[in-house]
Amino acid sequence: MTNQSATGGFKIYSMGIVGKMLGSKSNRDIKAIGPVVTQIIDIEPQITALSDDELRGKTQEFRQRIADHIQADKQEVIDQKATIEQEEDIMEREKMWENVDRLEKSIYEKTQNILDDILPEAFAVIKETARRFKEIGQLEVTATEFDKNLAPSRDGMEIIGEKVIFKNEWTAGGSFIKWDMVHYDVQLIGGIVLHQGKIAEMGTGEGKTLVATLPVYLNALPGKGVHIVTVNDYLAKRDSEWMGVLYEFHGLTVDCIDRHEPNSEPRRKAYLADITFGTNNEFGFDYLRDNMTGNPKELVQRKHNYTIVDEVDSVLVDDARTPLIISGPTPQGDKHEYHELKPLVQKLYSAQRNYVTKILAEAKKLLKDGNTDDEHKEGSKLLLRAHRGLPKNTALIKFLSEPGVRAMMQKTENFFLAEQGKKMHIIDDELFFVIEEKSNSIDLREKGMELFTQETGDSNFYLLPDIGGEIAEMEKSNLSETKTLEKKSEMIREYSMKSERVHSVNQLLKAYAMFEKDVEYVIMENKIKIVDEQTGR
């Protein structure tokens, strides 16, 4: 998913501690943010003096300032697109589209500049809103149509005549909560960091959810949408209800995609909200589904603008190890690459098996009684390499059953796994592929890729293209919208084809190296059935 900003859980220390722990770079960053924090604090008395209606009115004021700042460019884009429709000369149309792209880039840059200007006042507005909820207990403002439509579904809102009362108690995540938070200065620093699109860290319980309200509000003002990505649906729903009241008081729409069925009108509407909460998987699958459809009316996501990723290490590192895979109809849906790839994978498996057989024989010689400690160490390394290469090898399993052999190999494995496995490459680099039994996965090594290159003549046979990098480079080239879409489609087709190939090779390797017929699976009535390792069924 394309993001202008991705941020995550963060920890912010005092300037002195940061300097000692992280050095001069952090000191420079904090010093650069310091004057902005001072601006926010200086503006606070002016914001505090506002009535509830005037406080709420700041949002429309901000939005008008943004609209005025980009109005000339927006109007020019509208005029250019209207002219393009009437232009018959293809070359002239191409130039016009290039001009539209340039104008839209200018609009984005101007929007970012005005947001930076508005930031101190906008942050002060959200902080004052939080303070009034905590200290005063309720905010009373003139009711709008937005309020009247929203109030029936919100237990913290009450319409009385022409007024609407926002109370400081409401339901979030199935629990009744009372608002009791106001932003500290250090949380203002965190909000600035997130607005700048940087990754920051914060410990559990240190208020990262509250910190996020500052840049979320600011970046929702242009009306282009803000995504807040969380790791599970409970947090997505809870945070949308918990923090949502601050945004809704200011007339911003809030929704959570996890509440709605995929490809449904309510989910499409959720993406049109000013602020959209959801889990990383749901955002990812919606993106994949949108790229599979051929009908623009079936798209649910709009153009990506600004995203905050909660628990960024979990979402973009841990969860990213498991790819999101979605299936759909193809022109030859019943045809697979398995038959074409099978001879290639057989050669790879045979090469690994021959190598493992060879080093296992060497390991047995080196591990004989009477040999030196160095010979035993080398033999144990070869034994571990054989085990990571083909753990299901019958001769290996038999040798490991001998007294003391498995314990010795595990001791060697623990040594190479130390320091997060930094030394394990010494064992793995000689293999064609590595089998991780615990995670039930296979990792193709450099030797395996070289074998594929020799057999196919294609050095990128098993490599997935960096589609994100290629799209970023393409967007810098200022191509017309039509050519950009064509190139993107071509890239996605190539990525899909190679992704399918990598998946097929991986599945074939697993079948050869990790699954044994009549043990892990059986063939009945010409169908493969998996055997439950617990029950044997």
Side-chain angles (χ1 to χ4, degrees), residues 125-315:
V125 164
I126 285 296
K127 181 179 178 181
E128 176 62 17
T129 307
R131 186 194 68 79
R132 292 188 189 188
F133 270 118
K134 178 184 178 182
E135 297 178 7
I136 300 173
Q138 64 180 36
L139 286 79
E140 184 177 316
V141 292
T142 304
T144 63
E145 281 302 311
F146 174 75
D147 299 324
K148 292 172 184 176
N149 293 330
L150 192 63
S153 61
R154 297 290 186 273
D155 54 8
M157 289 177 67
E158 184 180 1
I159 302 285
I160 302 177
E162 294 302 313
K163 296 289 184 179
V164 57
I165 296 173
F166 285 82
K167 302 174 184 177
N168 71 345
E169 294 180 320
W170 59 83
T171 303
S175 302
F176 201 62
I177 64 103
K178 182 174 182 179
W179 186 270
D180 62 351
M181 299 181 290
V182 182
H183 306 78
Y184 291 105
D185 291 352
V186 73
Q187 290 173 316
L188 299 177
I189 295 174
I192 296 165
V193 169
L194 300 190
H195 170 66
Q196 292 173 346
K198 296 176 181 176
I199 295 175
E201 183 185 1
M202 198 170 194
T204 302
E206 292 185 349
K208 63 183 179 182
T209 307
L210 181 63
V211 171
T213 59
L214 300 163
V216 166
Y217 170 73
L218 176 65
N219 284 277
L221 292 173
K224 295 182 179 179
V226 169
H227 292 171
I228 303 174
V229 184
T230 61
V231 290
N232 61 62
D233 61 347
Y234 168 75
L235 287 177
K237 293 172 185 175
R238 185 205 68 178
D239 289 356
S240 67
E241 295 164 349
W242 189 16
M243 302 294 129
V245 175
L246 260 67
Y247 310 129
E248 288 171 344
F249 170 77
H250 287 284
L252 301 177
T253 54
V254 179
D255 211 332
C256 175
I257 59 173
D258 291 72
R259 292 199 187 102
H260 312 296
E261 289 295 318
N263 287 327
S264 65
E265 193 56 39
R267 182 167 284 204
R268 191 172 290 106
K269 187 179 176 182
Y271 276 110
L272 292 175
D274 292 310
I275 299 157
T276 305
F277 289 79
T279 53
N280 54 318
N281 283 346
E282 288 303 310
F283 278 119
F285 278 123
D286 281 339
Y287 177 77
L288 293 177
R289 279 188 283 264
D290 277 1
N291 277 281
M292 290 172 64
T293 184
N295 185 355
K297 292 181 180 179
E298 293 177 2
L299 300 177
V300 295
Q301 293 186 352
R302 55 173 162 166
K303 190 174 181 180
H304 302 133
N305 175 50
Y306 178 86
T307 297
I308 287 182
V309 181
D310 188 17
E311 303 291 353
V312 69
D313 52 346
S314 177
V315 172

Side-chain angles (χ1 to χ4, degrees), residues 484-529:
T484 298
L485 287 172
E486 287 176 1
K487 281 190 168 285
K488 277 187 180 179
S489 298
E490 188 180 332
M491 286 178 191
I492 290 167
R493 278 196 299 273
E494 182 188 1
Y495 184 88
S496 177
M497 181 190 72
K498 289 199 172 182
S499 178
E500 181 67 27
R501 180 192 295 166
V502 168
H503 176 69
S504 298
V505 168
N506 218 36
Q507 292 299 95
L508 281 167
L509 266 177
K510 280 186 178 183
Y512 274 101
M514 298 178 67
F515 298 103
E516 187 176 348
K517 185 181 175 184
D518 297 330
V519 178
E520 279 89 8
Y521 69 93
V522 294
I523 297 178
M524 298 174 64
E525 298 175 359
N526 207 30
K527 293 180 180 179
I528 297 174
K529 296 183 182 289

Side-chain angles (χ1 to χ4, degrees), residues 233-470:
D233 61 347
Y234 168 75
L235 287 177
K237 293 172 185 175
R238 185 205 68 178
D239 289 356
S240 67
E241 295 164 349
W242 189 16
M243 302 294 129
V245 175
L246 260 67
Y247 310 129
E248 288 171 344
F249 170 77
H250 287 284
L252 301 177
T253 54
V254 179
D255 211 332
C256 175
I257 59 173
D258 291 72
R259 292 199 187 102
H260 312 296
E261 289 295 318
N263 287 327
S264 65
E265 193 56 39
R267 182 167 284 204
R268 191 172 290 106
K269 187 179 176 182
Y271 276 110
L272 292 175
D274 292 310
I275 299 157
T276 305
F277 289 79
T279 53
N280 54 318
N281 283 346
E282 288 303 310
F283 278 119
F285 278 123
D286 281 339
Y287 177 77
L288 293 177
R289 279 188 283 264
D290 277 1
N291 277 281
M292 290 172 64
T293 184
N295 185 355
K297 292 181 180 179
E298 293 177 2
L299 300 177
V300 295
Q301 293 186 352
R302 55 173 162 166
K303 190 174 181 180
H304 302 133
N305 175 50
Y306 178 86
T307 297
I308 287 182
V309 181
D310 188 17
E311 303 291 353
V312 69
D313 52 346
S314 177
V315 172
L316 298 185
V317 178
D318 299 335
D319 288 0
R321 295 170 188 268
T322 305
L324 298 179
I325 299 173
I326 193 167
S327 62
T330 62
Q332 294 177 305
D334 58 341
K335 182 179 178 181
H336 299 286
E337 287 187 290
Y338 294 124
H339 295 297
E340 291 135 17
L341 293 170
K342 184 179 175 181
L344 189 61
V345 174
Q346 280 178 324
K347 286 186 179 180
L348 179 67
Y349 176 72
S350 296
Q352 180 98 321
R353 184 182 57 197
N354 293 339
Y355 178 68
V356 166
T357 301
K358 176 186 172 185
I359 61 173
L360 179 59
E362 292 177 16
K364 288 179 179 179
K365 290 178 184 176
L366 291 167
L367 291 171
K368 285 182 178 178
D369 292 338
N371 286 350
T372 65
D373 288 345
D374 286 344
E375 286 174 319
H376 281 177
K377 284 181 182 178
E378 185 60 28
S380 187
K381 280 171 58 178
L382 292 175
L383 185 62
L384 175 61
R385 185 174 292 151
H387 183 262
R388 287 180 66 79
L390 282 180
K392 300 261 183 184
N393 182 282
T394 306
L396 174 66
I397 293 171
K398 184 177 179 181
F399 185 55
L400 288 174
S401 66
E402 295 182 11
V405 175
R406 182 174 289 275
M408 176 190 58
M409 186 193 74
Q410 287 175 338
K411 184 178 178 181
T412 304
E413 183 178 34
N414 290 338
F415 170 78
F416 284 99
L417 283 173
E419 298 180 38
Q420 297 181 327
K422 287 182 180 178
K423 298 177 182 177
M424 188 56 81
H425 72 91
I426 297 171
I427 300 295
D428 293 344
D429 285 349
E430 297 301 315
L431 295 167
F432 291 88
F433 55 87
V434 172
I435 296 174
E436 296 282 359
E437 282 193 293
K438 290 180 182 177
S439 60
N440 194 37
S441 63
I442 288 183
D443 177 25
L444 195 69
R445 307 299 294 182
E446 193 69 33
K447 283 180 67 175
M449 292 186 187
E450 287 175 3
L451 187 146
F452 280 164
T453 300
Q454 290 171 8
E455 294 294 326
T456 64
D458 181 1
S459 59
N460 295 318
F461 179 81
Y462 193 77
L463 294 176
L464 288 175
D466 179 13
I467 193 166
E470 288 181 13

Side-chain angles (χ1 to χ4, degrees), residues 31-49:
K31 283 179 182 177
I33 290 172
V36 184
V37 176
T38 302
Q39 282 182 277
I40 298 168
I41 295 168
D42 289 343
I43 289 170
E44 283 179 15
Q46 301 170 34
I47 303 300
T48 303

